[in-house]
Amino acid sequence: MKSITKKLFAALAIVLTFQVSHAEPKHDGPVKIAVLMYGMKAEFVQLMERAAYDYPGVKSGEVELTVYDGRYDPLVQNNQAETAIRTGHDAIIINPMDFNANIDVVTMANDAGIPVIVTNARLNTDEMTAEVVSDDVEGGYLEGKAVIEAMGGSGNVIILEGPKGGSGEIQRGQGIEKAIAEYPAGSIKILERKTANWSRAEALPIMENWLMKHRGRINGVIGQNDEMALGAIEAIESTGGDVSDYAIAGIDGVTDAIYAVKDGKMTSILQDARGQMQGSLDVALRHVLGPDFQPESDIWEQYEGQLEWNDGMSKRYDIPWTVVTIENADALLEMRN
């Protein structure tokens, strides 16, 4: 009898030890999160950084952020991920430069047992913990459709593209092609397409050259982001052209683009930098702190009915797009203050 009792106690001890070892870990001190941005020059990325530091958990000291500038180089981002892992960060959020080259960040984080959240741009893998993005195919479609409709359904367009190999360039391009395909074959002609690397400064001379090369033939300008669309507007104005003669669209909803919408110069499809970043922080914290964590950002209320928290366990969260209009421009600008 004593032998059986001892065996029962031993078995119970093993079960209890197993249960304790598999309980959700408690976290002492602030949660350390590394945010790997592909580059810090563009306003949109700066808006993402601002949203990160405005996150309630960061303000309270619950979260300790380290923001890395990837300098528009995927290899730099991969090296920064190694640094973040080596220095004991609890989670990594990456805004990747390259659709394929930055898969290494996900691989390294998974090997280290660290949650990795992909935000804004996408990676050619499904091995990340989660991604908090906006559907770039839909964004490209919305801007392509806006330009074509403003042209009356036919005409010649030029396309200013993002960095080659990035998911934004690839998927927004797919969306633009989808919009074009809805019209009769040959009704929309692409005269030129070239990368300007998300840069207003790079887009300006490219557009100046195209204006000379295709004098009087360009009807529409599709910039895969606002900065490049704004560069095209500068080129038109600097060469004595009338912006109202062109249908122009971009993506992001940066401040200058919203003002340009108010002035009737372009269409902008706003990508919610705050929603992407604060959503990523909420999801990262859920995976670090466990099921008792409740989201701290108000974006889930903002997009109620369009965006579900799902206990922070969805594989992908799509932050909705907003078409900037003359009617909503002032309200969107007010949110920047």
Side-chain angles (χ1 to χ4, degrees):
M1 184 70 178
K2 288 182 180 179
S3 173
I4 293 173
T5 303
K6 285 181 180 179
K7 288 179 179 178
L8 285 172
F9 275 115
L12 180 60
I14 291 170
V15 170
L16 289 172
T17 300
F18 180 86
Q19 288 178 338
V20 170
S21 67
H22 284 73
E24 285 289 343
K26 294 185 181 297
H27 196 282
D28 296 323
V31 177
K32 295 175 62 179
I33 298 181
V35 179
L36 279 55
M37 307 303 290
Y38 62 72
M40 299 302 298
K41 293 179 181 178
E43 181 190 350
F44 183 81
V45 180
Q46 294 164 8
L47 290 171
M48 291 189 76
E49 181 186 29
R50 174 177 162 182
Y53 285 110
D54 281 343
Y55 180 77
V58 174
K59 286 184 168 182
S60 70
E62 173 195 5
V63 177
E64 180 182 306
L65 285 184
T66 306
V67 179
Y68 291 86
D69 179 355
R71 304 195 298 276
Y72 303 91
D73 187 332
L75 297 181
V76 169
Q77 285 195 292
N78 291 348
N79 291 336
Q80 290 169 341
E82 289 182 339
T83 300
I85 293 167
R86 189 175 64 251
T87 53
H89 284 77
D90 300 298
I92 292 173
I93 295 171
I94 178 169
N95 178 3
M97 179 67 190
D98 191 277
F99 190 52
N100 290 300
N102 286 128
I103 293 173
D104 287 353
V105 174
V106 173
T107 302
M108 289 186 288
N110 287 342
D111 288 346
I114 297 173
V116 55
I117 313 301
V118 177
T119 193
N120 181 245
R122 302 193 67 198
L123 285 175
N124 190 19
T125 179
D126 61 1
E127 296 301 314
M128 70 286 288
T129 305
E131 53 184 350
V132 182
V133 295
S134 297
D135 184 343
D136 273 324
V137 175
E138 181 185 2
Y141 174 82
L142 289 171
E143 69 163 346
K145 190 77 171 177
V147 167
I148 295 168
E149 287 185 349
M151 290 165 42
S154 65
N156 301 321
V157 301
I158 57 92
I159 303 174
L160 290 158
E161 299 174 315
K164 290 295 185 181
S167 69
E169 177 265 327
I170 295 168
Q171 294 179 331
R172 291 178 191 179
Q174 291 171 351
I176 293 165
E177 296 287 355
K178 178 182 175 183
I180 292 172
E182 291 183 350
Y183 294 83
S187 60
I188 307 298
K189 182 177 180 181
I190 300 173
L191 295 178
E192 301 277 1
R193 61 192 312 160
K194 185 175 182 179
T195 181
N197 294 306
W198 303 137
S199 168
R200 193 182 314 193
E202 289 189 40
L204 193 155
I206 293 172
M207 186 65 185
E208 287 177 337
N209 289 336
W210 287 344
L211 288 168
M212 289 188 291
K213 180 178 177 181
H214 303 285
R215 192 177 300 275
R217 296 183 61 217
I218 299 173
N219 308 114
V221 178
I222 304 174
Q224 287 187 345
N225 80 340
D226 283 339
E227 293 291 343
M228 296 186 296
L230 289 164
I233 289 173
E234 287 187 25
I236 292 167
E237 293 177 334
S238 68
T239 55
D242 187 341
V243 176
S244 65
D245 291 337
Y246 302 83
I248 303 172
I251 288 177
D252 281 343
V254 300
T255 303
D256 285 350
I258 296 176
Y259 280 113
V261 171
K262 289 184 65 174
D263 292 338
K265 294 181 177 181
M266 66 178 287
T267 296
S268 178
I269 314 299
L270 184 140
Q271 180 175 211
D272 188 350
R274 179 174 175 273
Q276 290 178 0
M277 179 52 69
Q278 293 202 356
S280 296
L281 286 164
D282 272 340
V283 174
L285 285 170
R286 164 62 180 86
H287 284 274
V288 173
L289 299 176
D292 290 338
F293 173 79
Q294 294 299 313
E296 299 183 12
S297 175
D298 63 3
I299 67 161
W300 311 98
E301 290 78 28
Q302 177 185 345
Y303 292 116
E304 187 175 4
Q306 298 175 277
L307 182 68
E308 299 299 328
W309 169 240
N310 191 29
D311 193 32
M313 298 304 290
S314 292
K315 190 72 175 180
R316 173 169 168 171
Y317 292 89
D318 277 310
I319 307 298
W321 299 96
T322 299
V323 179
V324 182
T325 64
I326 293 174
E327 290 73 25
N328 67 14
D330 285 332
L332 294 171
L333 289 169
E334 182 64 27
M335 292 173 66
R336 300 277 161 90
N337 299 329

